[in-house]
Amino acid sequence: MWVEEYKNIENQGFNFSPRFTCKYENGELTIEEKKDYISIFPDNINITAIVGENGSGKSAILSSMITKEKVFCVMSENNQLTVYSNNILINTPLKQKRSTREVFKKILYFSMDNHHLSLAKTQSRLTVIDLSQTNQLITENYAKLQTIDFSLFNFKPYYIGYEFINDWIASDYEFEEKDIEEVHSALGWEHTADTSVIVDTLRALRDLDNEYMIYLLNKFGTIAKIFEHIDLTEKLHPKDFYLTVNYEEIQEILEGMKIDFVDESEFTQLISHANKMIKIKKLRELFGENYIQLLFRRMIDELSFDYMAQNGSSYGSLSHGEKTLYSFFVNLVHFNNSDFLFLLDEPDNTLHPNWQKSFLNEMMNILTKLKKNAHLVITSHSPFLLSDIPKENVIFLEKGKQVYPNIETFGANIHTLLSHGFFMKEGLMGEFAKSKINEVIDYLNGKKSPITDDDEAQKYIHIIGEPIVKRQLQRMLDSKKLDKIKEIDELKNQIESLKNRLDILVNNS
């Protein structure tokens, strides 16, 4: 890929396959295949990692691949190299095409950054992995998921359960002074108006037991917003305090506000099956043809879901790392293309180190099991992930420029990768710990330090985990103590000598 200009990257080429050597100069592109190249990855998979400090340009490279800026990419299609570009003239014997929607259909994108994810969806029309949509994809693909084993744990969703998030159907809140003030303002009442009727109205709302009415009123978002559209102080009987407003009136207002809601029959059906485990295949029968739209779009804020396999294992009992990996699995099952580019922007960002260690291996197992051919391009800060990739498959970035550190990444130890692969020139110790150790060193060297005595210095030395540093500081402290003992002995001797001299002077006087 050649980037002429995008964010902090200018006139740079990036090679995502060590199988080729690529050169672009003065508008001329030459690509040669390395005949002796042997990949360590499965035949259906290639992997490129992009690493560097924050701000080095990692995410910018991924973004540039899906933009229409001054960028061109060379991709392999049916064992033939094709150049995709919209606005760069290239002199090459290779076939050239414009970047179109057809190209983007062959890209699957993931980012933990919601802004990047949104741009990929809306501007480039990419298929994205959105972890918030996992429930919907599990439901849509449950039949496929029954036929494929997931190697990490045996979970094949067969049942679905949901419950209403309580705030949507409960009104037993304790209203506060600010609620009264906001309603007062929404009604446009004068400052001196009596607010006791507002208090009575809020109490009546608090005591409502009609769940559908509560649901509709909650769709307004805030108590004050209800009163902006309906003066409930006039809709409550002053004696019995019951609502005289009807559903149709509220629904008409919500429609005018372009707020989506379900009607009473749908709501009743949803309530009747809440807190139960239902066979996923029965959802259409229970909720109609548009059950996906109902459950995962229209009621997405109101419902929380769980899934259960026939063996009794549940999705809700999985750890965060397991859910994340399972979500990738479900998305790959759902994605129709069998030959694609898989862009992953820091996918291991929220994973425990154990899952970081397993991530690439599991991705390769999943893709192989699904018989998909994929080129994974991954940005990462994880030394575990980098240790699974040869340096020929790694793009190292520093301040928007590609650099070539003298390091072998594959199977390397974590300390080496952190120091060299991730450019941690200031060491691997936390800054707070380093500052405290420096204070101990200053004290032991007789320099100005917040540490005032040996006991305080010993307290810090005792809890240091790095053995060489700990041992050296202990030696320095012990030496300091010995020096003090020697100094004390010398002073004692001097005192004794002075006493003897004084005695002689007294006796001779």
Side-chain angles (χ1 to χ4, degrees):
M1 179 180 75
W2 178 265
V3 181
E4 193 168 293
E5 185 179 359
Y6 185 77
K7 293 187 177 179
N8 61 339
I9 302 172
E10 291 184 17
N11 295 319
Q12 282 198 77
F14 302 98
N15 186 5
F16 295 91
S17 175
R19 178 182 156 196
F20 299 93
T21 57
C22 306
K23 188 177 181 182
Y24 180 67
E25 279 185 347
N26 301 319
E28 187 165 342
L29 173 67
T30 56
I31 297 178
E32 294 180 1
E33 185 173 1
K34 297 178 183 176
K35 301 298 182 185
D36 58 347
Y37 171 72
I38 300 174
S39 173
I40 67 166
F41 300 119
D43 292 341
N44 62 314
I45 293 168
N46 189 25
I47 299 175
T48 304
I50 306 172
V51 300
E53 297 174 317
N54 285 334
S56 60
K58 300 186 302 296
S59 296
I61 290 182
L62 291 193
S63 299
S64 68
M65 296 175 79
I66 56 178
T67 185
K68 294 181 180 179
E69 303 289 333
K70 294 184 177 181
V71 175
F72 73 77
C73 298
V74 182
M75 300 175 70
S76 177
E77 289 183 332
N78 301 318
N79 294 319
Q80 181 181 0
L81 296 179
T82 302
V83 181
Y84 287 94
S85 174
N86 283 341
N87 43 28
I88 298 180
L89 295 175
I90 306 158
N91 182 16
T92 177
L94 299 177
K95 185 177 181 180
Q96 296 189 53
K97 289 183 178 180
R98 287 181 62 80
S99 297
T100 63
R101 174 70 182 131
E102 292 305 311
V103 177
F104 293 144
K105 281 183 180 178
K106 299 176 183 178
I107 299 176
L108 182 61
Y109 179 81
F110 170 80
S111 176
M112 291 297 295
D113 187 311
N114 288 330
H115 176 65
H116 290 168
L117 206 63
S118 177
L119 288 178
K121 274 185 188 178
T122 56
Q123 292 188 9
S124 301
R125 307 286 182 181
L126 295 183
T127 302
V128 303
I129 291 181
D130 185 345
L131 298 182
S132 67
Q133 294 183 350
T134 301
N135 290 331
Q136 177 180 333
L137 295 185
I138 290 175
T139 306
E140 288 185 48
N141 295 279
Y142 83 94
K144 284 185 187 176
L145 294 171
Q146 293 294 313
T147 64
I148 306 168
D149 291 324
F150 182 53
S151 58
L152 281 180
F153 41 84
N154 184 20
F155 180 70
K156 296 179 178 180
Y158 189 77
Y159 300 96
I160 183 173
Y162 64 85
E163 61 182 11
F164 274 80
I165 296 171
N166 196 47
D167 289 348
W168 287 95
I169 55 172
S171 65
D172 55 344
Y173 62 88
E174 289 299 326
F175 55 87
E176 302 172 1
E177 189 66 33
K178 69 178 181 65
D179 295 315
I180 299 169
E181 292 171 1
E182 288 174 0
V183 171
H184 189 282
S185 175
L187 289 168
W189 287 6
E190 293 183 8
H191 184 68
T192 55
D194 182 11
T195 58
S196 61
V197 66
I198 295 176
V199 174
D200 290 339
T201 306
L202 292 178
R203 282 176 179 158
L205 283 175
R206 181 188 61 191
D207 297 334
L208 271 177
D209 58 6
N210 184 316
E211 289 179 326
Y212 185 60
M213 180 66 81
I214 296 166
Y215 159 75
L216 287 179
L217 292 174
N218 275 323
K219 292 301 269 184
F220 282 91
T222 65
I223 296 172
K225 204 164 187 178
I226 298 170
F227 287 85
E228 287 178 9
H229 298 272
I230 315 171
D231 185 353
L232 291 180
T233 61
E234 295 179 354
K235 296 287 186 178
L236 291 167
H237 192 284
K239 182 181 177 183
D240 298 319
F241 295 113
Y242 60 86
L243 280 170
T244 56
V245 62
N246 56 42
Y247 299 156
E248 289 77 11
E249 184 178 353
I250 300 178
Q251 291 169 343
E252 186 177 335
I253 295 167
L254 290 173
E255 285 171 353
M257 297 169 65
K258 299 192 180 335
I259 295 176
D260 192 18
F261 61 90
V262 298
D263 62 31
E264 188 176 10
S265 61
E266 289 174 311
F267 182 85
T268 303
Q269 183 78 328
L270 285 165
I271 284 285
S272 67
H273 291 93
N275 305 308
K276 300 174 184 176
M277 278 294 170
I278 310 163
K279 289 181 181 179
I280 299 174
K281 66 182 180 182
K282 291 197 69 175
L283 289 175
R284 180 178 278 101
E285 176 187 328
L286 293 173
F287 301 110
E289 291 295 323
N290 294 321
Y291 69 94
I292 292 291
Q293 179 80 12
L294 172 66
L295 296 175
F296 303 108
R297 308 265 176 85
R298 298 174 64 197
M299 297 295 287
I300 188 64
D301 294 324
E302 290 92 321
L303 303 177
S304 64
F305 294 88
D306 196 8
Y307 295 86
M308 192 170 75
Q310 286 181 290
N311 63 7
S313 61
S314 73
Y315 181 69
S317 66
L318 301 178
S319 70
H320 172 76
E322 288 172 328
K323 284 181 179 176
T324 300
L325 287 172
Y326 191 72
S327 182
F328 277 104
F329 171 60
V330 172
N331 274 272
L332 287 169
V333 169
H334 179 74
F335 191 52
N336 286 327
N337 277 344
S338 59
D339 197 339
F340 61 99
L341 180 63
F342 196 1
L343 307 181
L344 299 116
D345 191 8
E346 299 184 3
D348 47 13
N349 214 13
T350 62
L351 295 180
H352 184 277
N354 269 335
W355 291 115
Q356 292 181 23
K357 285 170 60 179
S358 305
F359 184 80
L360 272 185
N361 197 46
E362 291 307 322
M363 284 297 102
M364 288 188 281
N365 287 339
I366 291 168
L367 290 164
T368 300
K369 191 164 289 186
L370 297 175
K371 297 179 180 179
K372 292 180 182 286
N373 301 315
H375 186 159
L376 283 68
V377 180
I378 307 173
T379 67
S380 178
H381 289 291
S382 170
F384 298 108
L385 189 144
L386 196 58
S387 71
D388 273 342
I389 304 174
K391 73 174 182 181
E392 290 81 10
N393 291 68
V394 181
I395 293 172
F396 297 93
L397 291 178
E398 194 167 9
K399 296 178 181 178
K401 302 287 185 184
Q402 187 169 0
V403 294
Y404 303 90
N406 184 22
I407 179 177
E408 294 294 340
T409 56
F410 187 72
N413 71 70
I414 291 168
H415 287 85
T416 300
L417 292 173
L418 283 171
S419 298
H420 301 290
F422 293 96
F423 312 105
M424 296 184 70
K425 302 180 182 71
E426 301 301 320
L428 307 178
M429 187 182 294
E431 291 300 321
F432 178 72
K434 188 193 294 185
S435 70
K436 289 299 175 185
I437 289 172
N438 283 332
E439 288 174 5
V440 173
I441 292 171
D442 287 342
Y443 169 76
L444 295 175
N445 285 327
K447 297 180 180 179
K448 185 178 180 181
S449 170
I451 294 174
T452 56
D453 57 47
D454 291 352
D455 289 341
E456 189 178 358
Q458 184 64 71
K459 179 182 72 174
Y460 286 111
I461 293 171
H462 180 70
I463 61 174
I464 293 172
E466 211 293 322
I468 296 175
V469 174
K470 183 174 187 172
R471 192 159 51 243
Q472 183 60 30
L473 291 179
Q474 189 64 57
R475 285 173 181 164
M476 290 173 70
L477 180 60
D478 292 342
S479 176
K480 186 178 180 70
K481 287 178 178 178
L482 284 173
D483 288 343
K484 283 184 178 179
I485 291 171
K486 287 179 182 177
E487 186 178 351
I488 290 168
D489 288 342
E490 287 177 3
L491 289 171
K492 282 181 178 178
N493 290 333
Q494 289 177 22
I495 291 169
E496 188 64 31
S497 177
L498 288 170
K499 279 184 179 179
N500 292 335
R501 177 64 179 161
L502 182 60
D503 289 343
I504 292 170
L505 291 173
V506 170
N507 292 331
N508 291 335
S509 61

